[in-house]
Amino acid sequence: MIRFRNVFKAYPKGSLALKDLTFHIRKGEFAFLTGHSGAGKSTVLKLIFAEELATSGSVQVSGYHLASMSTRDIPKLRRRLGIVFQDFRLLEDRTAEENIAFTLEVTGARSSVIEPKVTRVLAQVGLAAKALAYPRELSGGEQQRVAIARALVNDPFVILADEPTGNLDERATRGVFQLLRDINANGTAVLMATHDLDLVRGTPFRTLELQDGGLVYDSAVDRPAAETES
Amino acid sequence: MRLAFREALRSFRRAPLLSALSVTTIAFAIFVVGLFGLVALNLNRALREVEKRVEVVAYLMRGTPVEVVTVAIGDVERFPEVADVTYVTEDQALARAQKELVELQGVFDDLVSNPLPASLEVRLKPGFRDSDHLRDVAERLRGFRFVEDVRYGRDWVIKLDRIRDLTAIGMLVIGGAFAAASVVIIGTTIRMAVFQRSREIAIMRLVGATDGFIRLPFLLEGSLKGALGGTFALGLTYVAYVAFDRMLLRAQFFNPAEAVVFVVFGFALGFSASLAAVSRHLKSVRPA
Ligand SMILES: Nc1ncnc2c1ncn2[C@@H]1O[C@H](COP(=O)(O)OP(=O)(O)OP(=O)(O)O)[C@@H](O)[C@H]1O
Ligand SMILES: [Mg+2]
């Protein structure tokens, strides 16, 4: 579903951000992406949602070969992904509801389709009561829930989360993490970059650890037979 | 499209100051071009008034029969350059001279016979009132047997040609320079608007908005601002015109079709400036 093969990434006038990265995330899987600051976690996610292009090697996301993909197909790909960031990236002048609806409006959906979907995802993230609140009226945890609701509303096959709990306190972190687990339990894959090792420890999920752009540990490496095409 | 319209309006509401600033900037930029256009327009009309007086006079030999002259007038009127032909008889010429040259009244009274020849006064159609065409027509008139001499204010017409060319060039250069300046100014204000919303654009792209979708509200916004600026510029130009007309010289304003050009020009400027600004921005954030 998401497949990296010998991926290298060099930023212009930067050193190598990714070195010979090969891994495969299966459909419906929950995986952590860990590593020190600057290890390349965000870069991996950016390659997946086509914000950056690999310098060499191949990145394949749900049938799209990102190297040969036309820029016109990028929006199509992104509509099938849910992307969540540490800094939420909500539009400040729109309510929670409008922020989520915006994602669907962008695809040209009718309001009759948009409304029930927005209501559903807001309920799913436990914010039905805050539909009309503006981001500044919400706590960090709540804002991140809105961002997750926005990521969910297109029924993505994977949620890509870059340090989604990085700005949150302990309690909000647990809440957001639980939400991502629930989403995963419903069949959506989750790839979450984090350096919160406490969070990673004690969960049954796969962990990919990066170090200086190289994959140094993959908890799934013991069972490579389970890696099948999706 | 409706959504884009809503988004465009939203940006007006959200950044009223910046929007007002862009509209004002556009208005003043077009106003300057408009003022120049107004000067050019009036200069051109004045020039055309002067041009009307351009004529070729063919003096006829004494005693040319009227019938011959009548036939010749018909021929001359069929020249493609000719607007009309006036026959001035010898008596008419004398009467006119007496009226115009009052100081020489005594001289006329002493005259035994009329020394003035009859003539054909030939006026050319607009567009033919330049020295080349005048020379052509004069040549042809000389070809008539009974034409003694042909005169037209050659030096004067050449000067007129030169003024005409200079105004045309001046209009092109100065008008073009101001138009270019306004494009740059408008481009800058729109770029500011785009920059102000770069975060929003980034989010739109993240959730899968196509470039076309992202562009549309900006194009609408830019075109709207441009058209609005054009309308204000028209108003300003009109005020300037009224002031000039009352206090200095009688002048003429643009006709309605020309006035619409202000709005269309503003619209086009706003549209192209925002297209350039957004496209440039989108290109700058695209992966290499
Ligand atoms: N746009 C860029 N231009 C140049 N170099 C970059 C760019 N983005 C990232 N890098 C470099 O690539 C390397 C990996 O960065 P990346 O953001 O992927 O790390 P990270 O693992 O997400 O770090 P963090 O935990 O601090 O977010 C770093 O050395 C960084 O300096
Ligand atoms: Mg990062």
Side-chain angles (χ1 to χ4, degrees):
Chain A
M1 194 192 58
I2 297 175
R3 186 180 283 280
F4 277 51
R5 271 206 201 98
N6 307 108
V7 172
F8 287 78
K9 173 65 187 177
Y11 284 106
K13 55 187 162 129
S15 53
L16 272 182
L18 296 179
K19 291 172 200 154
D20 202 12
L21 209 55
T22 300
F23 67 85
H24 177 212
I25 307 284
R26 284 182 303 272
K27 203 171 171 180
E29 193 171 18
F30 194 119
F32 284 114
L33 199 56
T34 65
H36 61 87
S37 179
K41 305 181 291 295
S42 298
T43 303
V44 167
L45 296 180
K46 282 180 191 166
L47 289 180
I48 297 172
F49 64 81
E51 179 73 20
E52 294 288 346
L53 272 179
T55 310
S56 72
S58 89
V59 176
Q60 225 176 308
V61 180
S62 171
Y64 287 102
H65 291 263
L66 270 61
S68 56
M69 182 180 182
S70 95
T71 45
R72 283 202 283 118
D73 283 336
I74 293 177
K76 283 187 211 153
L77 167 68
R78 290 189 182 161
R79 288 172 195 183
R80 305 201 47 215
L81 306 171
I83 311 172
V84 179
F85 293 97
Q86 181 172 353
D87 58 358
F88 322 134
R89 304 205 187 168
L90 298 174
L91 294 167
E92 299 300 327
D93 61 337
R94 282 165 222 247
T95 62
E97 196 175 67
E98 287 169 344
N99 263 285
I100 300 165
F102 188 65
T103 307
L104 294 170
E105 285 167 353
V106 151
T107 66
R110 294 160 184 273
S111 54
S112 60
V113 177
I114 293 175
E115 273 169 41
K117 279 193 176 180
V118 171
T119 311
R120 196 198 66 208
V121 291
L122 266 172
Q124 198 177 341
V125 301
L127 279 181
K130 303 271 185 173
L132 300 179
Y134 286 91
R136 64 174 178 281
E137 299 165 345
L138 296 170
S139 74
E142 286 168 338
Q143 288 187 53
Q144 192 59 293
R145 283 168 186 274
V146 174
I148 292 172
R150 179 180 66 190
L152 273 180
V153 78
N154 264 329
D155 296 317
F157 61 83
V158 63
I159 298 272
L160 304 172
D162 195 352
E163 317 249 10
T165 61
N167 279 351
L168 305 179
D169 67 14
E170 177 74 23
R171 223 174 93 89
T173 295
R174 292 282 151 201
V176 163
F177 182 49
Q178 188 55 50
L179 180 57
L180 290 173
R181 290 181 72 154
D182 293 344
I183 290 164
N184 178 246
N186 284 331
T188 308
V190 176
L191 180 56
M192 173 171 167
T194 183
H195 45 217
D196 185 348
L197 293 180
D198 291 338
L199 201 67
V200 176
R201 227 171 279 132
T203 63
F205 303 127
R206 179 178 174 192
T207 304
L208 297 151
E209 189 185 337
L210 293 175
Q211 199 178 316
D212 296 324
L215 190 61
V216 292
Y217 173 74
D218 181 353
S219 64
V221 114
D222 303 329
R223 41 188 180 108
E227 287 203 41
T228 46
E229 292 284 342
S230 58
Chain B
M1 188 70 189
R2 234 186 57 223
L3 178 72
F5 203 71
R6 207 186 68 203
E7 292 296 318
L9 285 181
R10 182 191 281 272
S11 102
F12 269 101
R13 238 182 316 129
R14 192 175 22 189
L17 219 70
L18 190 64
S19 302
L21 186 73
S22 338
V23 172
T24 317
T25 317
I26 294 169
F28 274 101
I30 299 176
F31 172 52
V32 173
V33 179
L35 273 187
F36 192 77
L38 202 59
V39 171
L41 174 88
N42 280 285
L43 214 61
N44 224 343
R45 281 188 189 160
L47 216 56
R48 231 170 292 145
E49 273 314 306
V50 175
E51 273 180 11
K52 274 189 200 154
R53 296 194 206 138
V54 170
E55 59 180 14
V56 186
V57 182
Y59 295 100
L60 308 181
M61 283 179 191
R62 194 162 291 279
T64 307
V66 179
E67 304 79 60
V68 175
V69 175
T70 313
V71 172
I73 288 174
D75 289 348
V76 174
E77 274 173 342
R78 273 191 294 277
F79 287 3
E81 302 93 338
V82 168
D84 56 62
V85 181
T86 313
Y87 177 40
V88 181
T89 64
E90 293 162 9
D91 293 344
Q92 282 166 344
L94 182 65
R96 205 195 270 173
Q98 279 174 335
K99 211 162 91 201
E100 283 172 9
L101 306 169
V102 189
E103 319 79 57
L104 302 179
Q105 203 59 56
V107 178
F108 288 118
D109 289 344
D110 295 344
L111 285 175
V112 183
S113 66
N114 182 0
L116 296 176
S119 63
L120 292 180
E121 294 176 357
V122 180
R123 295 199 309 146
L124 301 189
K125 288 179 189 156
F128 292 105
R129 294 164 183 165
D130 54 67
S131 56
D132 287 349
H133 285 103
L134 281 165
R135 199 189 47 230
D136 278 5
V137 172
E139 264 336 294
R140 258 175 282 155
L141 288 173
R142 270 195 196 102
F144 288 98
R145 266 179 305 103
F146 50 84
V147 170
E148 184 148 50
D149 191 14
V150 179
R151 293 260 174 91
Y152 62 96
R154 197 165 159 276
D155 296 344
W156 180 75
V157 171
I158 286 175
K159 248 175 229 155
L160 195 62
D161 281 0
R162 213 168 285 152
I163 293 173
R164 201 166 17 211
D165 290 349
L166 278 178
T167 11
I169 291 170
M171 203 157 103
L172 237 66
V173 170
I174 304 181
F178 277 120
S182 57
V183 168
V184 171
I185 292 166
I186 292 165
T188 308
T189 55
I190 302 268
R191 222 166 18 249
M192 267 162 73
V194 171
F195 183 72
Q196 195 203 25
R197 289 168 63 190
S198 56
R199 206 180 97 91
E200 185 176 341
I201 292 177
I203 293 171
M204 285 170 90
R205 302 183 80 231
L206 212 57
V207 298
T210 57
D211 284 359
F213 183 92
I214 294 171
R215 247 185 237 128
L216 201 56
F218 282 104
L219 297 189
L220 261 171
E221 188 188 332
S223 317
L224 230 60
K225 280 179 180 170
L228 214 62
T231 311
F232 284 148
L234 181 63
L236 284 172
T237 313
Y238 188 73
V239 170
Y241 153 74
V242 169
F244 186 83
D245 189 57
R246 294 245 173 94
M247 297 182 213
L248 290 165
L249 272 174
R250 290 225 45 80
Q252 237 172 330
F253 196 62
F254 301 103
N255 64 34
E258 288 163 341
V260 167
V261 169
F262 273 77
V263 183
V264 173
F265 185 56
F267 183 91
L269 276 184
F271 182 86
S272 40
S274 49
L275 183 65
V278 180
S279 301
R280 205 159 112 174
H281 180 80
L282 287 176
K283 214 153 132 197
S284 74
V285 291
R286 163 132 317 121

